[in-house]
Amino acid sequence: MKFSSKLLLCTITVLALALGFSGFYIVNYVFETSLAREAGQALDENSILCFAFETAALNVPAKYDVLQDRTIGQIASNLESGGQGSGRMLRISDEEKSILYAGDGFEADEALLELTDENTRTYRTILLNGRYYIQTGSTFHALDRVLYLETLRDVSEVFSERELGFRVYRRVTIIILILGMVIMYLISFLLTKPIRLLTRATKRMAAGDYDYRARMVSSDELGQLTLDFNHMAEALEENINKLEDEIQAREDFVGAFAHELKTPLTAIIGYADMLRSRQMDEEKSLLSANYIYKEGKRLEAMSIRLLEIMVTRHGQAQFQEVQAETLFLYLHDMFTPNESMEFIYSYDQGTVWAESNLIITVLINLLDNACKASEPGSTIEIRGRQEEKGYRFIIRDYGIGIPREELLKITKAFYMVDKSRARSRNGAGLGLALCTEILSLHNSVLEIESTPGEGTRISFVLQNQKEEGHEETDD
């Protein structure tokens, strides 16, 4: 059952119970009030009749010492007929509670008479011949006799009014329930609209439409739920996009890796097959062996870079304060034997919070790329300067440069701007990808500026001191 149907059913049930109980209470209260009023009037009428009987008995000629039964009957008959049109009925009993007179239609039993004495007035409601009466009983003195007077007052109209009240209230209740059902249906429809919109959104998202959002139609708790759902959907979409990008990146990585393996392996297999299957002169043998050696070295370099990327991505680094000067001195000692390039070093004194071996790997890769992009005899600048946000390392070459549309791609694994030039210098397109992974551990990024034909400037910034919340970890 839908939530709106449950809400409608529960509301109508509560409304029906409330109307039923309240209607019964109101109608029954009016009935009991009217019946009590009729009972009071019946008792008052009984008292008046007693007084009238006593008065009439005093006016009887004193022919006998004791009031005769026949005289009592005549007085009772006169009193009964005197109230003609009022529905009055009388019954007179003597001291022994034997009936002396009973009006026409007075068929009530003597149970009330048995309960009546000189100090008690009684009454009850009875049903006679399909009509309701209030029967009253009291004691009075007529001359020297003690008599009992009983009256019947027709109150059927009060019961009829109660039945009419119940019938009218039932009709009103049915009308109110019908109107309430219509109104509550509209209210439940409006109240559950955010839920229906959320349901539609979940179905759309389950079908793969992750950019679909639920429309916010209220500012209450359901509106807040819609807002939270949309925030959750945005986070989910972002995570799914990241997963899709990672999957695509892995597929591209595998494809590029397979392609990069195919070229050197094809050359190695081809030249090895030539060496084993035919006799060649010494020059051709050396040339074939040289090709095999060069491609093997490229495969070795590729394997080492891949291993470094995986270790960097999944491993932990040991951070400590490192003097920037020691990093530049290491580069100076390592690249000084290279007489085909001119290296210019310029740096400020300072310290960085880093893993020195990993940062040295980054700088070596950047310098190696700068050398590969430059012609022999070119100048390569290695600079370092202290800035407000940290210590900046800068590698500047004046080589072939990188086109603007390629700048966002060059940090991907196996991506090479000039594949033929890179392969001729044992490049595999993994250097900048490794640098990106290492710098991400240091909360830093590569900043690349390049102009084709004029060269490239690559820099990154390291923190001067340990960041708050950054834990020093061991390998």
Side-chain angles (χ1 to χ4, degrees):
M1 183 181 291
K2 294 183 178 179
F3 178 74
S4 58
S5 300
K6 291 181 180 179
L7 180 61
L8 176 62
L9 181 60
C10 292
T11 304
I12 294 301
T13 301
V14 172
L15 182 60
L17 291 174
L19 290 174
F21 283 114
S22 62
F24 176 81
Y25 174 78
I26 293 172
V27 174
N28 207 52
Y29 175 78
V30 172
F31 165 74
E32 289 179 354
T33 303
S34 299
L35 190 61
R37 183 178 65 250
E38 293 290 337
Q41 292 177 355
L43 289 172
D44 291 340
E45 185 180 30
N46 185 288
S47 298
I48 293 171
L49 289 173
C50 288
F51 178 75
F53 199 101
E54 291 174 354
T55 303
L58 292 174
N59 293 327
V60 174
K63 187 175 182 180
Y64 304 100
D65 295 335
V66 179
L67 189 63
Q68 300 297 310
D69 293 343
R70 182 172 58 83
T71 304
I72 293 174
Q74 290 176 351
I75 296 174
S77 177
N78 293 334
L79 291 176
E80 187 177 54
S81 61
Q84 192 172 9
S86 64
R88 178 191 302 166
M89 288 185 285
L90 305 178
R91 187 165 69 180
I92 303 294
S93 302
D94 60 14
E95 296 85 346
E96 303 300 327
K97 296 185 179 180
S98 299
I99 298 174
L100 300 177
Y101 173 83
D104 294 338
F106 201 117
E107 300 175 1
D109 56 27
E110 300 178 10
L112 186 67
L113 179 61
E114 297 297 329
L115 299 176
T116 307
D117 55 34
E118 294 186 12
N119 300 317
T120 305
R121 289 198 307 171
T122 57
Y123 77 93
R124 65 173 181 172
T125 303
I126 60 173
L127 177 63
L128 294 175
N129 300 322
R131 298 188 66 82
Y132 289 93
Y133 297 90
I134 292 180
Q135 180 184 3
T136 63
S138 63
T139 305
F140 67 96
H141 295 270
L143 297 179
D144 294 331
R145 299 192 66 174
V146 177
L147 301 176
Y148 294 91
L149 173 64
E150 295 175 86
T151 64
L152 284 181
R153 181 182 180 87
D154 193 346
V155 292
S156 298
E157 186 176 351
V158 175
F159 285 85
S160 298
E161 288 177 354
R162 183 178 69 167
E163 293 300 323
L164 178 61
F166 280 130
R167 286 197 300 269
V168 171
Y169 198 83
R170 280 194 293 268
R171 294 171 186 170
V172 172
T173 300
I174 292 173
I175 294 173
I176 292 176
L177 288 177
I178 293 174
L179 292 176
M181 185 178 298
V182 174
I183 295 173
M184 280 307 304
Y185 175 79
L186 296 176
I187 293 175
S188 63
F189 181 82
L190 293 176
L191 288 178
T192 57
K193 186 176 182 180
I195 299 177
R196 292 195 303 275
L197 294 176
L198 285 174
T199 302
R200 184 185 306 169
T202 55
K203 290 180 179 178
R204 292 282 293 272
M205 293 185 67
D209 188 4
Y210 300 114
D211 59 347
Y212 185 81
R213 297 293 179 268
R215 184 161 56 92
M216 189 171 176
V217 295
S218 64
S219 57
D220 54 8
E221 291 83 356
L222 289 177
Q224 183 62 42
L225 177 61
T226 302
L227 186 62
D228 294 340
F229 177 85
N230 288 337
H231 288 163
M232 181 197 69
E234 291 174 1
L236 180 62
E237 181 184 13
E238 183 178 350
N239 290 334
I240 290 175
N241 290 336
K242 287 181 180 179
L243 289 175
E244 291 178 347
D245 292 341
E246 289 181 4
I247 292 173
Q248 185 62 43
R250 290 179 182 179
E251 291 179 353
D252 295 341
F253 181 89
V254 172
F257 182 66
H259 180 76
E260 291 299 322
L261 283 179
K262 181 180 178 181
T263 302
L265 286 176
T266 300
I268 291 172
I269 292 172
Y271 284 107
D273 184 60
M274 289 175 59
L275 287 174
R276 75 179 181 85
S277 62
R278 68 185 67 178
Q279 287 290 110
M280 293 187 296
D281 56 32
E282 184 178 355
E283 182 180 356
K284 289 183 178 181
S285 296
L286 289 175
L287 182 62
S288 299
N290 184 55
Y291 272 116
I292 293 174
Y293 177 78
K294 287 175 61 179
E295 293 302 316
K297 292 295 289 183
R298 197 160 79 85
L299 284 177
E300 180 186 35
M302 187 189 309
S303 301
I304 292 174
R305 291 286 173 83
L306 283 174
L307 182 60
E308 288 176 339
I309 288 176
M310 287 186 292
V311 170
T312 302
R313 184 175 297 176
H314 300 291
Q316 294 178 322
Q318 183 177 2
F319 290 86
Q320 59 185 355
E321 284 192 353
V322 180
Q323 293 292 329
E325 183 179 16
T326 61
L327 301 176
F328 289 104
L329 292 177
Y330 183 90
L331 295 176
H332 183 272
D333 294 339
M334 184 172 184
F335 284 88
T336 296
N338 190 341
E339 298 178 355
S340 62
M341 299 290 176
E342 180 182 359
F343 297 96
I344 299 177
Y345 294 88
S346 174
Y347 53 87
D348 298 336
Q349 295 293 328
T351 60
V352 295
W353 183 257
E355 211 289 353
S356 59
N357 291 330
L358 293 179
I359 295 303
I360 287 174
T361 299
V362 172
L363 294 172
I364 290 175
N365 275 283
L366 295 180
L367 274 175
D368 186 53
N369 285 344
C371 293
K372 291 176 181 177
S374 304
E375 298 297 331
S378 297
T379 300
I380 296 177
E381 300 174 359
I382 304 98
R383 303 186 184 278
R385 66 168 181 255
Q386 187 69 52
E387 297 181 354
E388 182 179 354
K389 59 182 179 180
Y391 196 94
R392 183 178 294 275
F393 294 83
I394 305 169
I395 308 296
R396 177 76 165 90
D397 68 69
Y398 298 89
I400 59 174
I402 304 170
R404 182 182 298 274
E405 62 272 11
E406 306 286 344
L407 288 178
L408 297 177
K409 306 176 184 178
I410 59 175
T411 57
K412 295 181 179 180
F414 295 113
Y415 188 84
M416 293 173 280
V417 177
D418 187 345
K419 296 184 183 294
S420 60
R421 182 185 181 93
R423 288 197 181 97
S424 67
R425 303 193 179 189
N426 288 335
L430 293 171
L432 290 181
L434 175 60
C435 293
T436 301
E437 294 292 340
I438 292 175
L439 290 179
S440 67
L441 290 176
H442 293 76
N443 295 322
S444 182
V445 293
L446 289 175
E447 300 175 21
I448 305 175
E449 302 172 12
S450 185
T451 302
E454 297 182 7
T456 302
R457 179 182 183 273
I458 301 180
S459 66
F460 61 90
V461 177
L462 295 179
Q463 299 295 324
N464 296 118
Q465 57 187 356
K466 179 179 179 180
E467 294 182 355
E468 184 178 352
H470 185 89
E471 296 294 335
E472 183 174 340
T473 56
D474 296 332
D475 290 338

